[in-house]
Amino acid sequence: MIEVKNISEEDILKILETVADPEVPVLSIIDLGIVRKIEIYNAVQKPPSGSLVVFITPTYTGCPAMDVINMNIRLALLENGFINVEIKTVLSPAWTTDWMTEEGKQKLKAYGIAPPNMKQQVCTPGLFQEEEAVQCPHCTSYHTQMISRFGSTACKALYKCNDCNEPFDYFKCH
């Protein structure tokens, strides 16, 4: 077991930076902003000394990737000598794309997924709402159209660029 008294939250964050999102492997769970808090127990207390508690918030309440993410967090920490690890899911406040890092948004774009807009442009879920202006990650055109509200995962919508004709996912704001 690793000596926890010399470990800082920054050390744990560096380890968690290696844990990729299974649905968008170019992003770490730190890039996604789902790690909300880390508690390190250094003294003789309950939980026992040498324990870690990692608090995470899923991007969606029913996100199917959370079981894999939990397992990968535990494995990454075990590989670095942490045996007493607890992972707690926190649903409130709900995750928002505002919690994503700017580096993560740039990684999405480089990967071919349009990152969430800085500010959501369409706020009403009406039947005939306007489509959000989404920039194509391939040619940077805003001449795009939504094909489906759901893309390869529930957190993305499927768009098509009308200039370069390439389809792409858009990481939806919420």
Side-chain angles (χ1 to χ4, degrees), residues 2-8 40-42 49-52 82:
I2 199 161
E3 184 64 38
V4 176
K5 67 181 174 185
N6 299 324
I7 298 296
S8 68
I40 303 169
Y41 295 91
N42 296 318
S49 180
S51 295
L52 288 176
F82 294 94

Side-chain angles (χ1 to χ4, degrees), residues 134-153:
V134 174
Q135 187 179 34
C136 174
H138 306 292
C139 73
T140 68
S141 170
Y142 279 96
H143 190 216
T144 62
Q145 70 183 65
M146 183 171 50
I147 304 299
S148 173
R149 290 194 189 276
F150 297 98
S152 58
T153 63

Side-chain angles (χ1 to χ4, degrees), residues 88-161:
K88 291 188 178 183
T89 301
V90 180
L91 299 178
S92 181
W95 179 86
T96 170
T97 50
D98 293 340
W99 294 356
M100 292 179 73
T101 66
E102 285 307 311
E103 183 181 349
K105 292 174 185 177
Q106 291 307 311
K107 287 178 184 178
L108 278 176
K109 187 174 181 178
Y111 193 63
I113 298 173
N117 286 327
M118 293 283 283
K119 183 176 181 185
Q120 190 168 1
Q121 301 159 353
V122 179
C123 297
T124 57
L127 185 59
F128 299 107
Q129 75 180 19
E130 290 183 42
E131 284 184 27
E132 199 161 8
V134 174
Q135 187 179 34
C136 174
H138 306 292
C139 73
T140 68
S141 170
Y142 279 96
H143 190 216
T144 62
Q145 70 183 65
M146 183 171 50
I147 304 299
S148 173
R149 290 194 189 276
F150 297 98
S152 58
T153 63
C155 57
K156 294 182 289 237
L158 180 62
Y159 274 71
K160 177 186 176 261
C161 180

